[in-house]
Amino acid sequence: ASANIGVVGLAVMGSNLARNLASREGNTVAVFNRSRSKTDELVAAHPEAEFVPAFSYEEFAASLQKPRTAIIMVKAGAGTDAVIDALTGVFEPGDIIVDGGNALFTDTIRREKAVRATGINFVGAGISGGEEGALTGPSIMPGGSDESWVTLGPILRSIAAVAEGEPCVTHVGHDGAGHFVKMVHNGIEYADMQLIAEAYDLIRRGTSKTPAEIADVFAEWNRGELESYLIEITAEVLRQTDAATGLPLVDVILDQAGAKGTGAWTVQTALNLGVPVSGIAEAVFARSLSSHPEQRAVSRDLPGAEEDLEVEDADAFIEDVRLALYASKIVAYSQGFDEIRAGAAAYDWTIDLGAIAKIWRGGCIIRAQFLNRISDAYQTTPDLPVLLTAPYFVDALTRAQGAWRRIVATAAASGIPAPAFSSSLAYYDGLRAERLPAALIQGQRDFFGAHTYQRTDKPRTFHTQWSGDRTEVEAEDTH
Ligand code: NDP
């Protein structure tokens, strides 16, 4: 046995991760793929790498030093279960199986329990950053046991992205915690992308700027508090010209956004947990709306706003859009971290929210300067109930809120959809409200279903006898 780490599944992610591992001092990497050709190709293409190719699960297990450590990078779902079954057949108690695929965290919880019963450790690890991240340094979000972290920690630290001198990996929490956090990362990514898209759309429709000129706006924004990978690549995409037509590429790309499902998982999970991730949900729904050409076609002649958007002072408008984007982004991240906090409480994980913000600073799609402000906030107040109430964000929102309101109002008045901007503002105002119309909803619920209500002026639970004389009686606490 000569390898200290193994990779199963050598498609684009697995082969890049194996190369990343092999490039680090001290690593010898056992590699295995179901169909032999991928293994042969990888080994032939990279003679410089210390690979130990295996052509059966038995050979793979035999080539690994104990405790054996293997990272699975196969098609999520049935493929992952098949590989786990095969590995548990050839591994021994104390060995470690890591699933680096995009698994649903509840699958990871199930798998961890089943594998643990054999004495083998199972770690679900979210790996972000796509194929380039896998090769050059991803952000890694591992769950699993403390015992496996002892062996796995140094290996993952050696291949992770580095942000401000710190590797972008931390032991997130037990069993499915890592995949849960990776899921929310993707949800936040959906929101961030949608907000940027809404900002672009408003500037495009409100000013005479071309996509290439708007690229300059984003490049400028990328030098300030919005600095992030997504803003940076937005400028690149907007600047691109289509070779075939000479038009801006963004004008020839079909406007129907795809999705692989992790955004929907984030929202489904939030619904189950009762966490209002409205910005993320709007982003997921905006992609769905875009992808129904038949519904869009029959709706095209619906009446719109009386006047198109006409901006007098383009610079002032663009600055308003920037502030609206920043404020809405704070809401999206605040909601995402709220979901992680709720998930940790529901599944009994101890998750250091500040550490999560830190490991997202490099190697992943939402990497941004801004994440330092989030880790600062949780460092100062670890049990902060709402991220956006941290002093730094209160300052930012105070600066931004006027512009944010103007932009949402302008979008509505001119018939420009800005679902993530407007729902983020509604969330903010909902949180701020001294009184919410939830009181009326409680009254309605009590009227039709005797669901009871509580009062502002005394404890206990009450019911109004709506179908009788409408006097109030004390009720059993059933709501
Ligand atoms: P794919 O998701 O396309 O999966 C292909 C790999 O899975 C092949 O190696 C294939 O083997 C193997 N496989 C499928 N079914 C089985 C099975 N039943 N038994 C054994 N092996 C099987 O590969 P990717 O590299 O794109 O992604 C790998 C994982 O990483 C996925 O879970 C994905 O969600 C995740 N991921 C991907 C990212 C990306 O940007 N692509 C980013 C982050 C995570 P064979 O060659 O024999 O068919």
Side-chain angles (χ1 to χ4, degrees), residues 13 16-17 20 24 127-140 159-161 363-365 367:
M13 286 295 287
N16 280 356
L17 201 70
N20 184 352
R24 309 293 158 158
I127 300 186
S128 173
E131 37 184 296
E132 198 197 322
L135 182 61
T136 59
S139 171
I140 312 176
I159 58 163
C364 66
I365 306 300
R367 59 185 183 260

Short mmCIF file of all heavy atoms in Angstrom, two decimals, residues 13 16-17 20 24 127-140 159-161 363-365 367:
data_model
loop_
_atom_site.label_atom_id
_atom_site.label_comp_id
_atom_site.label_asym_id
_atom_site.label_seq_id
_atom_site.Cartn_x
_atom_site.Cartn_y
_atom_site.Cartn_z
N MET A 13 -14.57 16.49 -12.43
CA MET A 13 -14.32 16.92 -11.05
C MET A 13 -13.30 16.00 -10.36
O MET A 13 -12.35 16.47 -9.74
CB MET A 13 -15.62 16.92 -10.24
CG MET A 13 -16.56 18.06 -10.55
SD MET A 13 -15.90 19.68 -10.13
CE MET A 13 -15.98 19.66 -8.33
N ASN A 16 -9.69 16.29 -11.78
CA ASN A 16 -9.05 17.53 -11.36
C ASN A 16 -8.68 17.51 -9.87
O ASN A 16 -7.61 17.99 -9.48
CB ASN A 16 -9.94 18.74 -11.66
CG ASN A 16 -9.85 19.15 -13.12
OD1 ASN A 16 -9.06 18.60 -13.88
ND2 ASN A 16 -10.63 20.14 -13.50
N LEU A 17 -9.56 16.94 -9.07
CA LEU A 17 -9.26 16.85 -7.64
C LEU A 17 -8.06 15.92 -7.41
O LEU A 17 -7.18 16.21 -6.59
CB LEU A 17 -10.49 16.32 -6.90
CG LEU A 17 -10.54 16.63 -5.41
CD1 LEU A 17 -10.78 18.12 -5.19
CD2 LEU A 17 -11.64 15.82 -4.74
N ASN A 20 -4.99 17.81 -8.28
CA ASN A 20 -4.72 18.78 -7.22
C ASN A 20 -4.04 18.07 -6.04
O ASN A 20 -2.99 18.51 -5.54
CB ASN A 20 -6.05 19.43 -6.79
CG ASN A 20 -5.87 20.53 -5.75
OD1 ASN A 20 -4.79 20.75 -5.22
ND2 ASN A 20 -6.96 21.24 -5.46
N ARG A 24 0.38 18.14 -4.42
CA ARG A 24 0.80 18.60 -3.09
C ARG A 24 1.85 17.65 -2.52
O ARG A 24 1.71 16.43 -2.58
CB ARG A 24 -0.39 18.66 -2.11
CG ARG A 24 -1.57 19.41 -2.64
CD ARG A 24 -1.30 20.90 -2.82
NE ARG A 24 -2.25 21.45 -3.78
CZ ARG A 24 -2.57 22.74 -3.85
NH1 ARG A 24 -2.01 23.61 -3.04
NH2 ARG A 24 -3.44 23.15 -4.75
N ILE A 127 -18.04 20.44 -2.05
CA ILE A 127 -16.86 20.98 -2.73
C ILE A 127 -17.34 21.98 -3.76
O ILE A 127 -18.11 21.65 -4.65
CB ILE A 127 -16.04 19.86 -3.39
CG1 ILE A 127 -15.56 18.86 -2.33
CG2 ILE A 127 -14.84 20.44 -4.15
CD1 ILE A 127 -14.62 17.79 -2.81
N SER A 128 -16.90 23.22 -3.59
CA SER A 128 -17.40 24.29 -4.46
C SER A 128 -16.28 24.81 -5.36
O SER A 128 -15.11 24.69 -5.04
CB SER A 128 -17.91 25.44 -3.61
OG SER A 128 -18.24 26.53 -4.45
N GLY A 129 -16.68 25.39 -6.47
CA GLY A 129 -15.68 26.04 -7.31
C GLY A 129 -15.58 25.43 -8.69
O GLY A 129 -14.73 25.83 -9.49
N GLY A 130 -16.44 24.44 -8.98
CA GLY A 130 -16.46 23.86 -10.32
C GLY A 130 -15.15 23.16 -10.64
O GLY A 130 -14.36 22.85 -9.75
N GLU A 131 -14.94 22.91 -11.94
CA GLU A 131 -13.77 22.11 -12.30
C GLU A 131 -12.45 22.84 -12.04
O GLU A 131 -11.47 22.24 -11.66
CB GLU A 131 -13.85 21.65 -13.76
CG GLU A 131 -14.44 22.66 -14.72
CD GLU A 131 -14.57 22.06 -16.11
OE1 GLU A 131 -13.54 21.75 -16.70
OE2 GLU A 131 -15.71 21.93 -16.60
N GLU A 132 -12.47 24.16 -12.23
CA GLU A 132 -11.23 24.90 -12.01
C GLU A 132 -10.87 24.90 -10.52
O GLU A 132 -9.71 24.72 -10.14
CB GLU A 132 -11.37 26.33 -12.52
CG GLU A 132 -10.02 26.97 -12.71
CD GLU A 132 -10.10 28.49 -12.82
OE1 GLU A 132 -11.06 28.97 -13.44
OE2 GLU A 132 -9.21 29.15 -12.27
N GLY A 133 -11.90 25.07 -9.68
CA GLY A 133 -11.67 25.03 -8.23
C GLY A 133 -11.09 23.68 -7.81
O GLY A 133 -10.17 23.62 -7.00
N ALA A 134 -11.65 22.59 -8.36
CA ALA A 134 -11.18 21.26 -7.99
C ALA A 134 -9.69 21.13 -8.31
O ALA A 134 -8.93 20.51 -7.56
CB ALA A 134 -11.98 20.19 -8.73
N LEU A 135 -9.26 21.73 -9.39
CA LEU A 135 -7.85 21.61 -9.81
C LEU A 135 -6.94 22.55 -9.03
O LEU A 135 -5.85 22.15 -8.60
CB LEU A 135 -7.75 21.92 -11.31
CG LEU A 135 -6.36 21.79 -11.93
CD1 LEU A 135 -5.82 20.36 -11.78
CD2 LEU A 135 -6.38 22.20 -13.40
N THR A 136 -7.37 23.79 -8.84
CA THR A 136 -6.44 24.77 -8.28
C THR A 136 -6.70 25.10 -6.82
O THR A 136 -5.89 25.74 -6.18
CB THR A 136 -6.51 26.09 -9.08
OG1 THR A 136 -7.85 26.58 -9.01
CG2 THR A 136 -6.15 25.89 -10.53
N GLY A 137 -7.84 24.65 -6.28
CA GLY A 137 -8.13 24.92 -4.88
C GLY A 137 -9.58 25.31 -4.71
O GLY A 137 -9.96 26.43 -5.00
N PRO A 138 -10.40 24.36 -4.23
CA PRO A 138 -11.81 24.65 -3.99
C PRO A 138 -12.04 25.15 -2.57
O PRO A 138 -11.13 25.12 -1.74
CB PRO A 138 -12.47 23.29 -4.18
CG PRO A 138 -11.42 22.30 -3.77
CD PRO A 138 -10.08 22.94 -4.03
N SER A 139 -13.25 25.60 -2.31
CA SER A 139 -13.71 25.81 -0.94
C SER A 139 -14.37 24.48 -0.54
O SER A 139 -15.18 23.95 -1.28
CB SER A 139 -14.72 26.95 -0.91
OG SER A 139 -15.32 27.04 0.35
N ILE A 140 -13.98 23.95 0.61
CA ILE A 140 -14.44 22.61 0.98
C ILE A 140 -15.21 22.67 2.29
O ILE A 140 -14.76 23.28 3.27
CB ILE A 140 -13.25 21.63 1.12
CG1 ILE A 140 -12.33 21.74 -0.10
CG2 ILE A 140 -13.76 20.19 1.27
CD1 ILE A 140 -11.09 20.88 0.00
N ILE A 159 -5.23 21.00 -0.11
CA ILE A 159 -5.73 21.21 -1.48
C ILE A 159 -6.73 22.36 -1.60
O ILE A 159 -7.12 22.73 -2.70
CB ILE A 159 -6.39 19.94 -2.07
CG1 ILE A 159 -7.55 19.46 -1.20
CG2 ILE A 159 -5.36 18.86 -2.30
CD1 ILE A 159 -8.48 18.49 -1.90
N ALA A 160 -7.16 22.90 -0.46
CA ALA A 160 -8.20 23.94 -0.51
C ALA A 160 -7.64 25.26 -1.03
O ALA A 160 -6.43 25.49 -0.99
CB ALA A 160 -8.79 24.14 0.88
N ALA A 161 -8.54 26.11 -1.49
CA ALA A 161 -8.15 27.48 -1.84
C ALA A 161 -7.61 28.15 -0.58
O ALA A 161 -7.91 27.73 0.54
CB ALA A 161 -9.37 28.24 -2.35
N GLY A 363 -12.03 30.20 -3.59
CA GLY A 363 -12.31 28.89 -4.18
C GLY A 363 -13.75 28.64 -4.58
O GLY A 363 -14.04 27.64 -5.22
N CYS A 364 -14.68 29.51 -4.20
CA CYS A 364 -16.07 29.23 -4.56
C CYS A 364 -16.67 30.39 -5.33
O CYS A 364 -16.09 31.47 -5.44
CB CYS A 364 -16.89 28.88 -3.33
SG CYS A 364 -17.09 30.24 -2.20
N ILE A 365 -17.85 30.17 -5.86
CA ILE A 365 -18.47 31.14 -6.77
C ILE A 365 -18.86 32.43 -6.06
O ILE A 365 -18.87 33.50 -6.65
CB ILE A 365 -19.72 30.51 -7.45
CG1 ILE A 365 -19.36 29.18 -8.14
CG2 ILE A 365 -20.36 31.47 -8.46
CD1 ILE A 365 -18.32 29.26 -9.23
N ARG A 367 -17.29 33.89 -3.73
CA ARG A 367 -16.17 34.52 -3.02
C ARG A 367 -16.20 36.04 -3.18
O ARG A 367 -16.47 36.55 -4.27
CB ARG A 367 -14.84 33.93 -3.48
CG ARG A 367 -14.51 34.07 -4.95
CD ARG A 367 -13.21 33.32 -5.24
NE ARG A 367 -12.77 33.44 -6.61
CZ ARG A 367 -12.96 32.49 -7.53
NH1 ARG A 367 -13.64 31.40 -7.24
NH2 ARG A 367 -12.48 32.65 -8.75
#
